[in-house]
Amino acid sequence: MNDPTEKFLRTFEEIKTEVNYLAGDPSSGSFELEKAAERDSVIARNRRLLKYIREVRNVLQHPNHKTPGDAVLVSETFLEEVEILLERLRNPPTANSVGVSLKQMMTASRADRLGDLADRMKKEGFSHVPILDENDAVIGVFNEAAVFDHLWAETETIVGREMEISEILPHCLLDADHTETFRFKKPGTKLDELAEIFRAVESSTTRVGAVFITASGSKSEPLQRLITPWDVLDSFRSNEK
């Protein structure tokens, strides 16, 4: 066997160990892929590649041909792909690897003026601005939906640049009846789980617009990160390059 093939076989055994551990059956002599895919989102997302890796390993370990030498040879590039997958299984990307931290994000308070916020959002490209209390906990989100809800709440109403967030706060609250909802998760949440959250339809007209990261995933805790669907999509694109 050539060196990449030998490395591939060793790497497969390490992948098998990780898969069986995630399947909850670390002592199994079989490759518990299906069981692991039911329990782990990273395994489920890479299920097709893992099946292919298993098939290549079986061809190498259990040849049916009589001629000397290997029926297939593992290339350096394929070996690299397998090794990258092993690393993802051992250290799956989490919420801490995407989005923006509290120091980087634009936030608002009850006393901020709508005109100032709108100017900054337009200039810096923000679509969602978390409204924080004195302890940096999220109490609401300022976005276009909140402004429209305020406009339609009364028969006649005006939105002015000098208005403060506090004047439209009921329409910014997390439980306001918007087409977007918001979820809270902890820093170790896997990226694949976040992707499933954004893919899911909350109702016929509602989707998750952003995920807020706090120490234990409680909305009463100080905000640490803000993650949007685009952040997760960009991360997956980077991993696939």
Side-chain angles (χ1 to χ4, degrees):
M1 294 184 182
N2 67 353
D3 190 49
T5 300
E6 292 174 350
K7 287 183 179 178
F8 166 79
L9 292 173
R10 290 196 298 269
T11 304
F12 173 82
E13 292 304 318
E14 295 179 68
I15 287 177
K16 178 181 173 182
T17 298
E18 295 297 323
V19 168
N20 288 358
Y21 173 79
L22 293 170
D25 197 357
S27 61
S28 174
S30 302
F31 190 51
E32 302 293 349
L33 176 57
E34 301 306 324
K35 190 184 297 185
E38 293 177 357
R39 296 164 57 104
D40 186 85
S41 58
V42 178
I43 296 291
R45 184 168 181 267
N46 291 281
R47 180 172 170 273
R48 180 176 295 181
L49 176 57
L50 285 163
K51 285 185 68 176
Y52 178 69
I53 290 170
R54 179 180 59 188
E55 290 168 2
V56 173
R57 178 263 185 188
N58 288 342
V59 169
L60 291 168
Q61 289 286 74
H62 307 289
N64 291 319
H65 63 285
K66 296 180 180 180
T67 54
D70 297 319
V72 296
L73 295 177
V74 175
S75 67
E76 291 282 0
T77 53
F78 179 58
L79 174 62
E80 182 181 1
E81 185 176 358
V82 174
E83 290 174 334
I84 289 173
L85 177 57
L86 173 61
E87 179 61 23
R88 286 181 189 167
L89 297 181
R90 286 174 170 170
N91 300 292
T94 64
N96 262 346
S97 64
V98 296
V100 292
S101 66
L102 180 59
K103 291 182 179 180
Q104 297 171 311
M105 77 178 73
M106 178 181 173
T107 61
S109 67
R110 291 180 177 90
D112 285 336
R113 296 185 302 180
L114 303 190
D116 294 338
L117 286 175
D119 288 342
R120 281 194 62 195
M121 290 173 71
K122 183 177 180 180
K123 180 180 179 180
E124 300 178 26
F126 290 102
S127 59
H128 300 80
V129 178
I131 304 168
L132 308 182
D133 65 12
E134 58 278 3
N135 297 314
D136 286 339
V138 181
I139 57 175
V141 177
F142 177 69
N143 56 9
E144 291 181 352
V147 175
F148 280 118
D149 278 0
H150 176 74
L151 285 171
W152 287 104
E154 304 292 339
T155 304
E156 294 183 8
T157 188
I158 297 175
V159 174
R161 291 182 58 85
E162 300 304 314
M163 290 177 64
E164 295 183 353
I165 284 289
S166 59
E167 298 179 63
I168 68 167
L169 186 59
H171 306 288
C172 301
L173 296 177
L174 295 172
D175 58 357
D177 187 19
H178 292 166
T179 57
E180 289 184 326
T181 60
F182 304 93
R183 301 280 285 275
F184 288 79
K185 289 292 180 178
K186 55 188 178 182
T189 302
K190 292 180 181 179
L191 208 60
D192 288 80
E193 182 180 338
L194 293 177
E196 289 303 316
I197 289 172
F198 287 124
R199 288 192 192 105
V201 178
E202 298 281 292
S203 72
S204 59
T205 58
T206 307
R207 290 183 178 274
V208 176
V211 171
F212 298 118
I213 304 301
T214 62
S216 65
S218 170
K219 65 181 181 180
S220 62
E221 298 173 319
L223 178 63
Q224 294 183 2
R225 300 188 76 80
L226 167 65
I227 300 172
T228 68
W230 296 110
D231 296 321
V232 175
L233 178 61
D234 286 344
S235 179
F236 280 149
R237 285 173 175 168
S238 297
N239 287 334
E240 289 169 357
K241 290 180 180 180

mmCIF file of all heavy atoms in Angstrom, residues 106-132:
data_model
loop_
_atom_site.group_PDB
_atom_site.id
_atom_site.type_symbol
_atom_site.label_atom_id
_atom_site.label_comp_id
_atom_site.label_asym_id
_atom_site.label_seq_id
_atom_site.Cartn_x
_atom_site.Cartn_y
_atom_site.Cartn_z
ATOM 1 N N MET A 106 -23.894 46.292 16.897
ATOM 2 C CA MET A 106 -24.633 47.510 17.183
ATOM 3 C C MET A 106 -25.795 47.155 18.102
ATOM 4 O O MET A 106 -26.572 46.247 17.822
ATOM 5 C CB MET A 106 -25.158 48.118 15.878
ATOM 6 C CG MET A 106 -25.984 49.361 16.057
ATOM 7 S SD MET A 106 -26.582 49.972 14.449
ATOM 8 C CE MET A 106 -27.665 51.295 15.021
ATOM 9 N N THR A 107 -25.913 47.859 19.218
ATOM 10 C CA THR A 107 -27.006 47.618 20.161
ATOM 11 C C THR A 107 -27.717 48.935 20.454
ATOM 12 O O THR A 107 -27.250 50.013 20.086
ATOM 13 C CB THR A 107 -26.483 47.018 21.477
ATOM 14 O OG1 THR A 107 -25.576 47.945 22.097
ATOM 15 C CG2 THR A 107 -25.774 45.689 21.226
ATOM 16 N N ALA A 108 -28.850 48.822 21.110
ATOM 17 C CA ALA A 108 -29.642 50.008 21.434
ATOM 18 C C ALA A 108 -30.139 49.921 22.874
ATOM 19 O O ALA A 108 -30.161 48.847 23.479
ATOM 20 C CB ALA A 108 -30.828 50.125 20.479
ATOM 21 N N SER A 109 -30.537 51.080 23.406
ATOM 22 C CA SER A 109 -31.159 51.149 24.726
ATOM 23 C C SER A 109 -32.506 51.844 24.580
ATOM 24 O O SER A 109 -32.843 52.372 23.516
ATOM 25 C CB SER A 109 -30.275 51.933 25.704
ATOM 26 O OG SER A 109 -30.211 53.301 25.327
ATOM 27 N N ARG A 110 -33.284 51.859 25.639
ATOM 28 C CA ARG A 110 -34.612 52.466 25.593
ATOM 29 C C ARG A 110 -34.560 53.945 25.211
ATOM 30 O O ARG A 110 -35.490 54.471 24.594
ATOM 31 C CB ARG A 110 -35.295 52.334 26.957
ATOM 32 C CG ARG A 110 -35.682 50.914 27.340
ATOM 33 C CD ARG A 110 -36.344 50.937 28.706
ATOM 34 N NE ARG A 110 -36.818 49.632 29.137
ATOM 35 C CZ ARG A 110 -36.075 48.769 29.833
ATOM 36 N NH1 ARG A 110 -34.812 49.092 30.140
ATOM 37 N NH2 ARG A 110 -36.580 47.612 30.199
ATOM 38 N N ALA A 111 -33.465 54.617 25.564
ATOM 39 C CA ALA A 111 -33.382 56.069 25.360
ATOM 40 C C ALA A 111 -32.850 56.465 23.985
ATOM 41 O O ALA A 111 -32.853 57.654 23.642
ATOM 42 C CB ALA A 111 -32.505 56.696 26.441
ATOM 43 N N ASP A 112 -32.406 55.517 23.180
ATOM 44 C CA ASP A 112 -31.856 55.858 21.861
ATOM 45 C C ASP A 112 -32.951 56.379 20.935
ATOM 46 O O ASP A 112 -34.096 55.922 20.965
ATOM 47 C CB ASP A 112 -31.192 54.634 21.231
ATOM 48 C CG ASP A 112 -29.858 54.315 21.861
ATOM 49 O OD1 ASP A 112 -29.240 55.226 22.435
ATOM 50 O OD2 ASP A 112 -29.441 53.146 21.787
ATOM 51 N N ARG A 113 -32.573 57.313 20.072
ATOM 52 C CA ARG A 113 -33.527 57.913 19.133
ATOM 53 C C ARG A 113 -33.588 57.103 17.843
ATOM 54 O O ARG A 113 -32.573 56.615 17.346
ATOM 55 C CB ARG A 113 -33.139 59.359 18.845
ATOM 56 C CG ARG A 113 -33.217 60.274 20.067
ATOM 57 C CD ARG A 113 -32.938 61.719 19.721
ATOM 58 N NE ARG A 113 -31.624 61.887 19.110
ATOM 59 C CZ ARG A 113 -31.141 63.065 18.717
ATOM 60 N NH1 ARG A 113 -31.874 64.161 18.852
ATOM 61 N NH2 ARG A 113 -29.943 63.136 18.176
ATOM 62 N N LEU A 114 -34.794 56.996 17.301
ATOM 63 C CA LEU A 114 -35.005 56.178 16.105
ATOM 64 C C LEU A 114 -34.201 56.679 14.913
ATOM 65 O O LEU A 114 -33.656 55.886 14.145
ATOM 66 C CB LEU A 114 -36.489 56.156 15.736
ATOM 67 C CG LEU A 114 -37.476 55.661 16.798
ATOM 68 C CD1 LEU A 114 -38.856 55.468 16.171
ATOM 69 C CD2 LEU A 114 -37.003 54.382 17.442
ATOM 70 N N GLY A 115 -34.136 57.998 14.735
ATOM 71 C CA GLY A 115 -33.406 58.551 13.602
ATOM 72 C C GLY A 115 -31.933 58.205 13.637
ATOM 73 O O GLY A 115 -31.333 57.847 12.613
ATOM 74 N N ASP A 116 -31.336 58.287 14.832
ATOM 75 C CA ASP A 116 -29.912 57.960 14.977
ATOM 76 C C ASP A 116 -29.664 56.480 14.681
ATOM 77 O O ASP A 116 -28.694 56.115 13.999
ATOM 78 C CB ASP A 116 -29.438 58.286 16.396
ATOM 79 C CG ASP A 116 -29.483 59.778 16.698
ATOM 80 O OD1 ASP A 116 -29.463 60.573 15.741
ATOM 81 O OD2 ASP A 116 -29.540 60.135 17.887
ATOM 82 N N LEU A 117 -30.564 55.618 15.177
ATOM 83 C CA LEU A 117 -30.420 54.186 14.933
ATOM 84 C C LEU A 117 -30.562 53.862 13.452
ATOM 85 O O LEU A 117 -29.787 53.083 12.896
ATOM 86 C CB LEU A 117 -31.459 53.416 15.734
ATOM 87 C CG LEU A 117 -31.233 53.301 17.237
ATOM 88 C CD1 LEU A 117 -32.419 52.619 17.895
ATOM 89 C CD2 LEU A 117 -29.956 52.537 17.535
ATOM 90 N N ALA A 118 -31.558 54.458 12.816
ATOM 91 C CA ALA A 118 -31.791 54.192 11.394
ATOM 92 C C ALA A 118 -30.602 54.621 10.544
ATOM 93 O O ALA A 118 -30.211 53.928 9.602
ATOM 94 C CB ALA A 118 -33.054 54.913 10.937
ATOM 95 N N ASP A 119 -30.012 55.767 10.887
ATOM 96 C CA ASP A 119 -28.839 56.246 10.139
ATOM 97 C C ASP A 119 -27.680 55.260 10.260
ATOM 98 O O ASP A 119 -27.019 54.939 9.265
ATOM 99 C CB ASP A 119 -28.409 57.624 10.660
ATOM 100 C CG ASP A 119 -29.374 58.727 10.261
ATOM 101 O OD1 ASP A 119 -30.168 58.508 9.324
ATOM 102 O OD2 ASP A 119 -29.342 59.801 10.899
ATOM 103 N N ARG A 120 -27.424 54.794 11.468
ATOM 104 C CA ARG A 120 -26.320 53.853 11.682
ATOM 105 C C ARG A 120 -26.575 52.514 11.001
ATOM 106 O O ARG A 120 -25.673 51.920 10.411
ATOM 107 C CB ARG A 120 -26.101 53.628 13.180
ATOM 108 C CG ARG A 120 -25.326 54.738 13.879
ATOM 109 C CD ARG A 120 -24.870 54.257 15.236
ATOM 110 N NE ARG A 120 -23.965 53.118 15.122
ATOM 111 C CZ ARG A 120 -23.633 52.316 16.145
ATOM 112 N NH1 ARG A 120 -24.174 52.524 17.337
ATOM 113 N NH2 ARG A 120 -22.806 51.312 15.960
ATOM 114 N N MET A 121 -27.822 52.060 11.079
ATOM 115 C CA MET A 121 -28.157 50.778 10.449
ATOM 116 C C MET A 121 -27.934 50.847 8.943
ATOM 117 O O MET A 121 -27.402 49.912 8.336
ATOM 118 C CB MET A 121 -29.603 50.410 10.760
ATOM 119 C CG MET A 121 -29.842 50.042 12.214
ATOM 120 S SD MET A 121 -31.596 49.815 12.609
ATOM 121 C CE MET A 121 -31.947 48.276 11.755
ATOM 122 N N LYS A 122 -28.338 51.939 8.336
ATOM 123 C CA LYS A 122 -28.160 52.106 6.895
ATOM 124 C C LYS A 122 -26.688 52.204 6.532
ATOM 125 O O LYS A 122 -26.229 51.591 5.561
ATOM 126 C CB LYS A 122 -28.899 53.354 6.422
ATOM 127 C CG LYS A 122 -28.829 53.579 4.919
ATOM 128 C CD LYS A 122 -29.641 54.806 4.512
ATOM 129 C CE LYS A 122 -29.575 55.028 3.000
ATOM 130 N NZ LYS A 122 -30.362 56.214 2.586
ATOM 131 N N LYS A 123 -25.929 52.930 7.323
ATOM 132 C CA LYS A 123 -24.513 53.141 7.042
ATOM 133 C C LYS A 123 -23.685 51.872 7.255
ATOM 134 O O LYS A 123 -22.794 51.550 6.462
ATOM 135 C CB LYS A 123 -23.974 54.262 7.937
ATOM 136 C CG LYS A 123 -22.496 54.559 7.726
ATOM 137 C CD LYS A 123 -22.028 55.693 8.642
ATOM 138 C CE LYS A 123 -20.535 55.970 8.446
ATOM 139 N NZ LYS A 123 -20.075 57.067 9.340
ATOM 140 N N GLU A 124 -23.990 51.123 8.337
ATOM 141 C CA GLU A 124 -23.167 49.979 8.706
ATOM 142 C C GLU A 124 -23.739 48.643 8.256
ATOM 143 O O GLU A 124 -23.123 47.592 8.449
ATOM 144 C CB GLU A 124 -22.952 49.976 10.223
ATOM 145 C CG GLU A 124 -22.238 51.246 10.706
ATOM 146 C CD GLU A 124 -22.059 51.276 12.212
ATOM 147 O OE1 GLU A 124 -22.011 50.182 12.831
ATOM 148 O OE2 GLU A 124 -21.980 52.381 12.782
ATOM 149 N N GLY A 125 -24.937 48.656 7.665
ATOM 150 C CA GLY A 125 -25.492 47.434 7.090
ATOM 151 C C GLY A 125 -26.133 46.472 8.069
ATOM 152 O O GLY A 125 -26.169 45.261 7.816
ATOM 153 N N PHE A 126 -26.642 46.979 9.188
ATOM 154 C CA PHE A 126 -27.313 46.126 10.165
ATOM 155 C C PHE A 126 -28.806 46.055 9.867
ATOM 156 O O PHE A 126 -29.426 47.049 9.501
ATOM 157 C CB PHE A 126 -27.112 46.661 11.588
ATOM 158 C CG PHE A 126 -25.704 46.515 12.099
ATOM 159 C CD1 PHE A 126 -24.836 47.596 12.117
ATOM 160 C CD2 PHE A 126 -25.248 45.290 12.552
ATOM 161 C CE1 PHE A 126 -23.544 47.467 12.584
ATOM 162 C CE2 PHE A 126 -23.955 45.150 13.020
ATOM 163 C CZ PHE A 126 -23.099 46.231 13.034
ATOM 164 N N SER A 127 -29.391 44.873 10.062
ATOM 165 C CA SER A 127 -30.836 44.716 9.877
ATOM 166 C C SER A 127 -31.558 44.497 11.204
ATOM 167 O O SER A 127 -32.753 44.770 11.317
ATOM 168 C CB SER A 127 -31.126 43.532 8.948
ATOM 169 O OG SER A 127 -30.584 42.335 9.474
ATOM 170 N N HIS A 128 -30.840 43.989 12.203
ATOM 171 C CA HIS A 128 -31.407 43.739 13.521
ATOM 172 C C HIS A 128 -30.525 44.404 14.575
ATOM 173 O O HIS A 128 -29.310 44.183 14.579
ATOM 174 C CB HIS A 128 -31.492 42.236 13.831
ATOM 175 C CG HIS A 128 -32.331 41.468 12.874
ATOM 176 N ND1 HIS A 128 -31.873 41.070 11.642
ATOM 177 C CD2 HIS A 128 -33.606 41.032 12.953
ATOM 178 C CE1 HIS A 128 -32.828 40.402 11.015
ATOM 179 N NE2 HIS A 128 -33.899 40.373 11.788
ATOM 180 N N VAL A 129 -31.130 45.186 15.445
ATOM 181 C CA VAL A 129 -30.382 45.836 16.519
ATOM 182 C C VAL A 129 -30.976 45.381 17.853
ATOM 183 O O VAL A 129 -32.099 45.761 18.194
ATOM 184 C CB VAL A 129 -30.433 47.367 16.409
ATOM 185 C CG1 VAL A 129 -29.676 48.005 17.575
ATOM 186 C CG2 VAL A 129 -29.840 47.823 15.085
ATOM 187 N N PRO A 130 -30.236 44.583 18.639
ATOM 188 C CA PRO A 130 -30.748 44.148 19.938
ATOM 189 C C PRO A 130 -30.898 45.339 20.884
ATOM 190 O O PRO A 130 -30.032 46.209 20.951
ATOM 191 C CB PRO A 130 -29.665 43.186 20.446
ATOM 192 C CG PRO A 130 -28.888 42.791 19.238
ATOM 193 C CD PRO A 130 -28.930 43.973 18.331
ATOM 194 N N ILE A 131 -31.998 45.370 21.590
ATOM 195 C CA ILE A 131 -32.228 46.388 22.620
ATOM 196 C C ILE A 131 -31.884 45.748 23.961
ATOM 197 O O ILE A 131 -32.466 44.715 24.333
ATOM 198 C CB ILE A 131 -33.691 46.858 22.613
ATOM 199 C CG1 ILE A 131 -34.071 47.368 21.222
ATOM 200 C CG2 ILE A 131 -33.907 47.957 23.657
ATOM 201 C CD1 ILE A 131 -35.558 47.585 21.045
ATOM 202 N N LEU A 132 -30.939 46.339 24.674
ATOM 203 C CA LEU A 132 -30.434 45.745 25.911
ATOM 204 C C LEU A 132 -30.868 46.541 27.131
ATOM 205 O O LEU A 132 -31.054 47.758 27.068
ATOM 206 C CB LEU A 132 -28.902 45.669 25.873
ATOM 207 C CG LEU A 132 -28.258 45.008 24.645
ATOM 208 C CD1 LEU A 132 -26.743 44.973 24.814
ATOM 209 C CD2 LEU A 132 -28.813 43.610 24.426
#
